[in-house]
């Protein structure tokens, strides 16, 4: 018994310094990384931006599972102790399979319907997400579970991820597209808009200009960071070094777009190209 306790203790001691592995279909999951890095400053992180295969939202479930498996394999090869699937589309379509296939803990991200359903007064909330997320079984289950007495109005954000991946955030084209998706939701009297894609928090400044002040915007970044910390702690693999964490970003797409999106962060990081 003592021997096993000794092994378990050493196992966590060996693991705590390993990185939190994070992946997304592209640059959007950096919105989740920011929350994680802020909440856990001593953790090392590795981020994979799978921009070459973005958008995932238009792909079949099988393709999303295949890409998520590829990213997980790469993050494990790079010595991750936990995997954060910083993509709603990958979470809702693939996390169940990933959890069955690998021993490492996985944290996922899903549209935050629960807080919206709890706080809405008009009993109408909008969800902006990809086709892949909105058509998934997991999203359907979450909606049934948390939104029984309210109306959830779903909108597919076609083209938004593509523009963000091209670095075209503050553009008239983006504003036009967003306005066309959001206006019908305003007319239907929603009082919360749930951002169901990790790319979309980068659109908040534009959304704030389109939405009346009384409509709240909810995204899942903080909740994901909180949950990651809980699971690291439960597994006894929180980094206890009190040394500022290192942050490495790998992309199989444009370095420039990734660098531009990270530029607002005050945390230091490294950005590299990698083929995966
Ligand atoms: N960031 C991904 C998500 O949260 C974008 C999906 C896509 O590539 O279409 O769903």
């Amino acid at each position: 018994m003592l021997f096993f306790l000794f092994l378990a203790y050493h196992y966590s001691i060996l693991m705590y310094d390993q990185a939190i592995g994070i992946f997304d279909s592209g640059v959007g999951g950096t919105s989740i990384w920011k929350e994680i890095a802020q909440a856990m400053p001593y953790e090392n992180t590795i981020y994979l931006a799978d921009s070459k295969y973005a958008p995932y939202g238009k792909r079949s479930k099988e393709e999303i599972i295949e890409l998520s498996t590829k990213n997980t394999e790469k993050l494990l090869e790079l010595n991750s102790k936990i995997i954060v699937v910083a993509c709603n589309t990958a979470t809702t379509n693939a996390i169940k399979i990933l959890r069955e296939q690998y021993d490492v803990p996985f944290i996922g991200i899903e549209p935050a319907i629960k807080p919206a359903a709890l706080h809405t007064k008009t009993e109408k909330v909008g969800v902006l997400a990809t086709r892949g997320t909105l058509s998934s079984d997991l999203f359907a289950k979450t909606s049934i579970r948390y939104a029984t007495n309210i109306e959830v109005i779903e909108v597919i954000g076609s083209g938004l991820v593509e523009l963000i991946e091209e670095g075209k955030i503050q553009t008239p084209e983006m504003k036009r597209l967003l306005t066309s998706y959001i206006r019908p939701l305003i007319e239907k009297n929603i009082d919360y808009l749930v951002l169901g894609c990790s790319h979309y928090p980068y659109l908040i400044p534009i959304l704030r200009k389109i939405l009346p002040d009384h409509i709240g915007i909810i995204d899942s970044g903080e909740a994901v960071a909180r949950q990651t910390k809980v699971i690291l702690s439960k597994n006894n693999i929180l980094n206890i070094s009190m040394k500022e964490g290192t942050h490495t970003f790998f992309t199989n797409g444009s370095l420039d777009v990734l660098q531009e999106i990270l530029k607002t962060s005050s945390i230091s990081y490294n950005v590299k190209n990698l083929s995966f």
Side-chain angles (χ1 to χ4, degrees):
M1 182 66 183
L2 267 176
F3 175 69
F4 286 113
L5 280 175
F6 173 81
L7 270 187
Y9 174 74
H10 270 271
Y11 184 60
S12 49
I13 284 289
L14 286 175
M15 278 187 85
Y16 80 88
D17 210 22
Q18 288 177 235
I20 298 177
I22 307 167
F23 78 82
D24 177 40
S25 62
V27 299
T30 56
S31 63
I32 310 297
W33 166 79
K34 280 181 190 163
E35 301 287 350
I36 288 176
Q38 260 165 36
M40 291 168 279
Y42 307 130
E43 294 294 336
N44 303 313
T45 67
I46 297 173
Y47 182 98
L48 291 186
D50 198 16
S51 299
K52 185 173 170 189
Y53 298 98
Y56 281 12
K58 283 182 177 170
R59 294 182 180 276
S60 66
K61 185 177 171 77
E62 289 68 33
E63 282 178 301
I64 297 167
I65 291 171
E66 204 178 304
L67 291 165
S68 301
T69 304
K70 162 186 79 75
N71 299 334
T72 299
E73 290 282 341
K74 184 50 87 182
L75 284 173
L76 292 177
E77 199 183 304
L78 293 166
N79 215 13
S80 303
K81 60 183 174 183
I82 189 169
I83 310 278
V84 178
V85 183
C87 174
N88 292 256
T89 314
T91 300
T92 50
N93 286 277
I95 202 162
K96 190 167 176 275
I97 308 278
L98 296 176
R99 285 186 173 134
E100 284 164 9
Q101 273 173 356
Y102 300 95
D103 279 341
V104 72
F106 283 88
I107 307 293
I109 174 169
E110 279 185 74
I113 297 202
K114 188 180 170 186
L118 275 174
H119 293 110
T120 178
K121 294 207 166 52
T122 63
E123 300 187 340
K124 290 188 177 77
V125 305
V127 180
L128 185 63
T130 69
R131 182 187 301 281
T133 294
L134 295 174
S135 63
S136 67
D137 292 343
L138 189 56
F139 177 76
K141 275 190 201 144
T142 308
S143 297
I144 291 170
R145 187 155 164 213
Y146 296 116
T148 34
N149 297 321
I150 64 157
E151 190 182 346
V152 176
I153 305 158
E154 302 168 12
V155 182
I156 298 172
S158 303
L160 299 176
V161 168
E162 285 90 328
L163 285 177
I164 296 168
E165 286 294 320
E166 286 167 29
K168 297 178 180 162
I169 296 179
Q170 293 292 344
T171 58
E173 201 181 350
M174 179 67 90
K175 185 151 188 221
R176 218 174 310 119
L177 204 53
L178 268 180
T179 307
S180 73
Y181 296 147
I182 299 306
R183 223 173 243 149
L185 296 176
I186 300 172
E187 278 158 18
K188 289 204 168 128
N189 199 24
I190 63 159
D191 57 358
Y192 282 98
L193 174 66
V194 176
L195 302 184
C197 170
S198 57
H199 281 68
Y200 299 167
Y202 290 110
L203 305 178
I204 290 175
I206 313 176
L207 282 168
R208 272 292 35 130
K209 285 185 193 148
I210 303 169
L211 288 166
D213 291 346
H214 74 275
I215 300 183
I217 299 176
I218 301 186
D219 74 76
S220 323
E222 252 184 75
V224 172
R226 230 180 296 126
Q227 179 66 0
T228 307
K229 197 169 179 180
V230 167
I231 298 299
L232 285 175
S233 173
K234 267 195 186 154
N235 284 275
N236 206 18
I237 49 175
L238 260 176
N239 198 327
I240 46 163
S241 71
M242 309 285 273
K243 211 170 65 203
E244 202 180 307
T246 61
H247 304 284
T248 312
F249 290 80
F250 294 106
T251 177
N252 53 18
S254 160
L255 268 185
D256 289 349
V257 172
L258 184 55
Q259 260 157 349
E260 183 64 28
I261 217 137
L262 286 170
K263 180 168 99 178
T264 52
S265 169
S266 53
I267 301 164
S268 41
Y269 53 82
N270 261 302
V271 183
K272 299 175 189 171
N273 267 129
L274 184 71
S275 106
F276 59 92

